[in-house]
Amino acid sequence: MSYILTTQCSDEIGLIAKITSLCHEHNLNIVRNNEFVDREGKRFFMRTEVTGSPTNLFLSQLQSNLPDDAQVKLHSPTKVKVVLLATKEAHCLGGVLLKQYENALNIEIQAVIANYPDLKPLAEAFNVPFHCVSHEGLSRTEHDQQVGDLISNYQPDLVGLAKYMRILSPEFVARFKDKIINIHHSFLPAFIGAKPYHQAFERGVKIIGATAHFVNNELDEGPIIVQDVTQVTHANNAEAMAKIGKDIEKTVFCKALQLASEHKLFINGTKTVVFK
């Protein structure tokens, strides 16, 4: 069987040799390896694809041979479990649902949770459970608690915000720390609030794009995973720009989930390490 070994720790001499030598000792064949050293932060990151039968002894020996702060994980080839949160916009949710239907992503969408019922037919068309948790009459903390409890029932590996138009409470973010991936247009912080594409059109922007990032307590400022852009001209009105922007958002969101499901992402402080 194939497995993916991910390692991050303080950098020191000989880390690659320690990891690969131990793989050899346990009859694990390395079929692909990526590594990166953040020289400023003095952090080491490595993603190793192996075939064979890794044991608990292998992991314990590896942990003991690496620096004390080492985070070592062995990922099986099973699909990564994802719960998607949405509001009313369908493009990102529909894009991920279609990708799963085509087996183009290494994910299993366990459920869609939204604060409006509008997208229920879309989720059910792909045989994915849909839950509506209305925010009406609830505080942000109360609503996040209900949504969080529902998510926890599924025990997902990732939570994807498919244009979920709610500001998450610090308690919610902490509950699913380093598991939440968001998507938004890349006009931020220039054009904040409603109708960003109309604001951009009024300013005559020439490039539009999208950003996928991990969520932290700084609004739309978590570690960036993927970004993409395209050019527009004076001939594109606000509606045309919004349509183009939605296509980019959908593509970037799917790409971020793909990278996460293939264990190619490492959070490195305020940034990410992304192996291609």
Side-chain angles (χ1 to χ4, degrees), residues 19-93:
I19 296 170
T20 55
S21 295
L22 199 59
C23 286
H24 176 68
E25 291 176 20
H26 286 261
N27 295 315
L28 300 176
N29 183 41
I30 296 175
V31 295
R32 180 176 296 178
N33 196 62
N34 302 94
E35 67 278 337
F36 172 74
V37 175
D38 176 359
R39 298 189 183 279
E40 292 183 355
K42 298 180 180 179
R43 296 287 296 173
F44 171 83
F45 303 87
M46 185 160 153
R47 177 187 185 273
T48 310
E49 295 183 28
V50 301
T51 57
S53 301
T55 62
N56 290 332
L57 177 61
F58 164 73
L59 288 174
S60 64
Q61 288 180 343
L62 183 58
Q63 190 78 48
S64 64
N65 286 340
L66 297 177
D68 292 339
D69 65 348
Q71 300 175 39
V72 178
K73 295 181 180 179
L74 187 67
H75 307 276
S76 70
T78 57
K79 291 186 176 181
V80 169
K81 297 178 180 179
V82 178
V83 169
L84 297 173
L85 304 189
T87 295
K88 291 184 176 182
E89 294 187 67
H91 58 289
C92 286
L93 177 62

Side-chain angles (χ1 to χ4, degrees), residues 126-140:
F126 288 90
N127 296 316
V128 174
F130 180 90
H131 305 275
C132 179
V133 181
S134 175
H135 61 278
E136 297 293 339
L138 299 175
S139 68
R140 182 171 58 151

Side-chain angles (χ1 to χ4, degrees), residues 101-163:
Y101 178 79
E102 296 173 335
N103 289 316
L105 294 174
N106 184 42
I107 66 172
E108 175 191 343
I109 303 174
Q110 298 174 291
V112 174
I113 302 172
N115 56 319
Y116 290 96
D118 302 52
L119 298 176
K120 182 177 181 180
L122 176 59
E124 292 184 341
F126 288 90
N127 296 316
V128 174
F130 180 90
H131 305 275
C132 179
V133 181
S134 175
H135 61 278
E136 297 293 339
L138 299 175
S139 68
R140 182 171 58 151
T141 300
E142 290 171 336
H143 185 254
D144 281 1
Q145 181 68 45
Q146 290 189 18
V147 173
D149 290 346
L150 187 53
I151 293 172
S152 293
N153 289 338
Y154 287 98
Q155 298 184 325
D157 302 299
L158 293 171
V159 177
L161 307 185
K163 301 298 289 185

Side-chain angles (χ1 to χ4, degrees), residues 81-264:
K81 297 178 180 179
V82 178
V83 169
L84 297 173
L85 304 189
T87 295
K88 291 184 176 182
E89 294 187 67
H91 58 289
C92 286
L93 177 62
V96 178
L97 289 169
L98 183 59
K99 287 283 189 180
Q100 178 186 247
Y101 178 79
E102 296 173 335
N103 289 316
L105 294 174
N106 184 42
I107 66 172
E108 175 191 343
I109 303 174
Q110 298 174 291
V112 174
I113 302 172
N115 56 319
Y116 290 96
D118 302 52
L119 298 176
K120 182 177 181 180
L122 176 59
E124 292 184 341
F126 288 90
N127 296 316
V128 174
F130 180 90
H131 305 275
C132 179
V133 181
S134 175
H135 61 278
E136 297 293 339
L138 299 175
S139 68
R140 182 171 58 151
T141 300
E142 290 171 336
H143 185 254
D144 281 1
Q145 181 68 45
Q146 290 189 18
V147 173
D149 290 346
L150 187 53
I151 293 172
S152 293
N153 289 338
Y154 287 98
Q155 298 184 325
D157 302 299
L158 293 171
V159 177
L161 307 185
K163 301 298 289 185
Y164 183 59
M165 308 307 289
R166 298 273 298 169
I167 297 176
L168 300 175
S169 65
E171 294 80 10
F172 186 94
V173 174
R175 187 172 183 177
F176 303 101
K177 180 177 172 56
D178 298 339
K179 289 186 175 183
I180 310 172
I181 293 177
N182 188 30
I183 180 71
H184 60 72
H185 59 80
S186 287
F187 295 137
L188 296 174
F191 306 126
I192 299 172
K195 296 186 176 181
Y197 289 100
H198 287 75
Q199 297 179 55
F201 172 72
E202 293 297 328
R203 290 291 303 275
V205 302
K206 297 298 183 282
I207 294 177
I208 61 176
T211 294
H213 63 91
F214 285 106
V215 174
N216 59 18
N217 286 325
E218 302 299 324
L219 182 61
D220 292 327
E221 294 186 15
I224 293 171
I225 302 169
V226 186
Q227 292 179 297
D228 197 8
V229 296
T230 192
Q231 292 185 332
V232 293
T233 73
H234 61 277
N236 298 115
N237 60 21
E239 287 73 23
M241 288 172 58
K243 183 177 180 180
I244 295 169
K246 286 182 177 181
D247 285 341
I248 301 174
E249 289 174 359
K250 175 178 62 178
T251 300
V252 169
F253 187 56
C254 288
K255 181 63 175 178
L257 291 176
Q258 179 183 6
L259 289 167
S261 71
E262 295 175 353
H263 312 292
K264 294 180 177 179

